[in-house]
Amino acid sequence: MIGLGPHPSDLGLAQARALVRRAVDKAEQLGLRGAIAVVGASGALLTASRMDAGGPGGMTRARSKAWISATQQIPSAEHLHRMTTIAPPVTAGFAAASPEALFPGAGGLPITVDGVVVAGIAASGATVSPFLPADVDPRVVSADGRPANPEDLLIAYALAIPYAGQHGDDGKRWEQRFGDLVVDPADSLGMAPAPAASRQAQLDWATALSDAALAAAARVGARVAVAVVDRGGDPIQQDLMDGAPVGGVAIAQAVAGAAALFDCDSGGLGRRFGWAEAVAELVTAPVLGLPGGLPVRVAGRGAGRVVGRGAGRVVAGLGVGGADLTLCHEIAAAALTALDDQAALDDQAAT
């Protein structure tokens, strides 16, 4: 891990976010939709983004593979190989001791600085996989003249490292799709520069909302985790400030889920339903009835415009965790106020 003395730290949030953004750029170029997660060597989620139409569940799978790569300090493909070759009692024991490794799929890679693993990165989701998309240009899934697959391409591109397939079957998939076609290395586009992603309206909005919460926390000297989830409680954007309590990640997601799923301030879940814990057991997404989560609504007809705390239908939940509960609520409220103010400015500019 990065740091001085006996207390090193994980990869910084700014660096982790930059890696995820590069992965999103490449994924959009490849026509993929999914989620990318970066987990620190401590096992803490540092940042994660779900692309538009990326589908629920992808972030959980990406996070699991990134956790394996970060904490076991090996590609998740190697971990998968070990888990399928060792004695079943050992595999079962590992799974019981490491619930974060619930999806031991291939594709996750460790991130190193000066030869030391500081994090792991992985992707998964609706169309993020090693399978070749229909009608894909063979040059796009070729790296240096060799067969490649989309999922491993976007991770290699994010890390700016030479492509190396992690799923072990690039050649077989290539032959099934393209036969004996050979692409000249000069014509390979798999690792070609990707333009900045421009078709991620929901992700861009969720990132801006998370940024507003991070800025509000910084103004009061707090270090927190932030989560923006969709109306079903699935994360769109998650961030952990440098030095923030790592447990805040779970709290932020759970209070955001409470707000989104039940259209109320998370701290009022118990007052609204009588027993917050019992309500939480009825849904799949994490839910916590403590302050820090607020619903985000759309105002107006049709698609409308996204506002913060005004009237309208719920489209998301914002959660803040890791600091004093009242302060977390205030930070979330300040972020939504900033969203309202920006929406008002946008309306003025449009008239």
Side-chain angles (χ1 to χ4, degrees), residues 15-30:
Q15 296 167 291
R17 268 192 161 195
L19 293 175
V20 169
R21 197 68 222 183
R22 280 179 57 84
V24 169
D25 293 343
K26 174 55 72 171
E28 185 177 281
Q29 184 190 49
L30 294 171

Side-chain angles (χ1 to χ4, degrees), residues 29 41 135 172 186 213 220-221 232 245 282 285 287 297 308 337 351:
Q29 184 190 49
D135 302 321
K172 181 178 179 180
V220 296
L282 298 175
V287 166
R297 299 184 175 92
T337 297
T351 58

Side-chain angles (χ1 to χ4, degrees), residues 60-196:
T60 299
R61 298 191 297 273
R63 179 175 175 177
S64 180
K65 294 192 292 183
W67 184 91
I68 290 169
S69 297
T71 61
Q72 307 308 297
Q73 303 183 14
I74 54 175
S76 62
E78 173 60 24
H79 172 78
L80 175 61
H81 172 71
R82 295 179 183 182
M83 290 298 102
T84 56
T85 55
I86 60 178
V90 178
T91 302
F94 181 91
S98 306
E100 298 90 341
L102 58 90
F103 187 77
L109 289 179
I111 301 169
T112 61
V113 174
D114 296 329
V116 178
V117 174
V118 296
I121 184 171
S124 189
T127 64
V128 173
S129 77
F131 298 97
L132 302 180
D135 302 321
V136 66
D137 185 331
R139 296 174 300 173
V140 172
V141 287
S142 171
D144 296 323
R146 296 177 291 113
N149 75 75
E151 179 179 338
D152 295 339
L153 275 171
L154 71 89
I155 295 300
Y157 181 84
L159 296 175
I161 60 175
Y163 176 84
Q166 299 299 310
H167 289 79
D169 47 14
D170 287 350
K172 181 178 179 180
R173 295 184 195 280
W174 180 277
E175 183 178 355
Q176 291 174 339
R177 177 64 63 85
F178 304 118
D180 58 1
L181 177 68
V182 176
V183 174
D184 188 280
D187 295 328
S188 293
L189 300 176
M191 294 295 287

Side-chain angles (χ1 to χ4, degrees), residues 256-312:
L261 285 164
F262 298 106
D263 189 11
C264 66
D265 293 6
S266 58
L269 191 64
R271 294 192 301 273
R272 185 168 184 177
F273 294 101
W275 190 8
E277 292 79 4
V279 171
E281 292 179 357
L282 298 175
V283 295
T284 301
V287 166
L288 183 63
L290 294 176
L294 296 174
V296 187
R297 299 184 175 92
V298 158
R301 296 181 177 179
R305 63 177 176 86
V306 180
V307 296
R309 309 196 68 183

Side-chain angles (χ1 to χ4, degrees), residues 161-250:
I161 60 175
Y163 176 84
Q166 299 299 310
H167 289 79
D169 47 14
D170 287 350
K172 181 178 179 180
R173 295 184 195 280
W174 180 277
E175 183 178 355
Q176 291 174 339
R177 177 64 63 85
F178 304 118
D180 58 1
L181 177 68
V182 176
V183 174
D184 188 280
D187 295 328
S188 293
L189 300 176
M191 294 295 287
S198 60
R199 300 188 300 277
Q200 305 300 321
Q202 185 186 41
L203 174 58
D204 290 345
W205 167 81
T207 301
L209 182 54
S210 183
D211 285 343
L214 295 173
R219 285 195 297 271
V220 296
R223 296 178 178 179
V224 299
V226 178
V228 180
V229 304
D230 65 19
R231 57 194 291 268
D234 193 69
I236 306 170
Q237 181 66 34
Q238 293 180 273
D239 293 295
L240 177 66
M241 295 177 72
D242 295 346
V246 298
V249 174

